[in-house]
Amino acid sequence: VGEGAKLDVHGCKTVDMASSFGKALLEFIFIVMAAITLLIGINAGKSKAAGKVLYPATFTCGVAAIAYFAMASGGGWVIAPDCRQLFVARYLDWLISTPLIVISLGIVAGVSKWDILNLVLSDVLMVASGAFGALTVGNVKWVWWFFGMLWFLHIIFALGKTWAESAKVRGGDASAVYSKLAGLTVIVWFCYPIIWVFAEGFGNFSVTFEVHLGPAFT
């Protein structure tokens, strides 16, 4: 099946599916993620200090590689009620990989385990809200989006302010490294709710276009 395929699901006359180019891109992303996983994993074992940060990063990329292999091999998706191909493997990826990113940032910032757990749970609830919203139609979809935004704003505030202040207290390389990593994370993640609105929300972005943007949030 390809873009605009006819499938008798949810009463859909046509379904927005990833094009052949989108499928090829999924295969390419899988190869890249697998290579990065191997590279980071090798470097993580070189020292205990580096491992604290690089091991979570290794698992982050490893989970993403598995998810993209599932999608590239034709699995990991369902037809959503709004007649779009929804890659649930992507949401399962985010349920694991984005908390790992949060954990890595927490280690660099030097915050407490409770602070890390707090933000990890917020991250899980944010991703779950986005997934449930993508699987519904009508006004309920936007209620889920609103729930997700509440958790999202909590995460952004913590990363951009409270955790940043903790990293500054540590000083030295920790402050500089955290500033760069957290800054990049906040900028990239800020795009997520906007893309969701025009993809899973209004359906203006095609599934193939979504495939192009997916790796940014892993």
Side-chain angles (χ1 to χ4, degrees):
V1 290
E3 194 169 10
K6 294 183 178 180
L7 294 174
D8 186 15
V9 181
H10 302 302
C12 300
K13 294 182 180 179
T14 60
V15 175
D16 183 7
M17 306 280 289
S19 65
S20 56
F21 175 75
K23 295 174 183 177
L25 184 59
L26 289 172
E27 295 173 355
F28 174 74
I29 295 171
F30 158 67
I31 294 172
V32 171
M33 286 296 181
I36 293 175
T37 300
L38 181 61
L39 180 62
I40 297 178
I42 292 173
N43 283 280
K46 291 183 177 180
S47 72
K48 186 176 180 180
K52 288 182 178 180
V53 176
L54 293 182
Y55 275 128
T58 301
F59 290 117
T60 298
C61 294
V63 170
I66 291 173
Y68 276 98
F69 177 76
M71 293 185 284
S73 60
W77 60 272
V78 297
I79 301 299
D82 58 357
C83 301
R84 289 173 61 88
Q85 181 183 26
L86 178 66
F87 286 107
V88 292
R90 181 179 58 190
Y91 282 98
L92 292 174
D93 166 14
W94 292 342
L95 277 173
I96 302 174
S97 62
T98 53
L100 287 173
I101 293 174
V102 169
I103 291 172
S104 296
L105 291 173
I107 293 173
V108 175
V111 298
S112 68
K113 292 180 180 179
W114 166 248
D115 287 331
I116 293 176
L117 177 62
N118 185 351
L119 223 59
V120 163
L121 293 177
S122 295
D123 183 276
V124 168
L125 290 171
M126 175 190 71
V127 175
S129 296
F132 288 133
L135 289 167
T136 57
V137 292
N139 293 332
V140 177
K141 177 186 288 289
W142 299 106
V143 173
W144 281 117
W145 182 83
F146 177 75
F147 287 159
M149 283 300 298
L150 292 179
W151 300 113
F152 172 76
L153 292 175
H154 170 59
I155 294 168
I156 295 301
F157 178 80
L159 293 180
K161 190 176 188 303
T162 56
W163 286 26
E165 292 173 351
S166 178
K168 286 182 180 179
V169 171
R170 295 191 72 186
D173 293 338
S175 179
V177 171
Y178 178 84
S179 179
K180 292 178 181 179
L181 294 179
L184 179 61
T185 300
V186 169
I187 292 172
V188 172
W189 284 11
F190 242 111
C191 298
Y192 169 71
I194 299 173
I195 294 171
W196 194 98
V197 166
F198 292 103
E200 281 90 343
F202 294 122
N204 299 115
F205 292 165
S206 69
V207 173
T208 298
F209 184 70
E210 275 192 275
V211 170
H212 287 73
L213 302 175
F217 305 108
T218 298

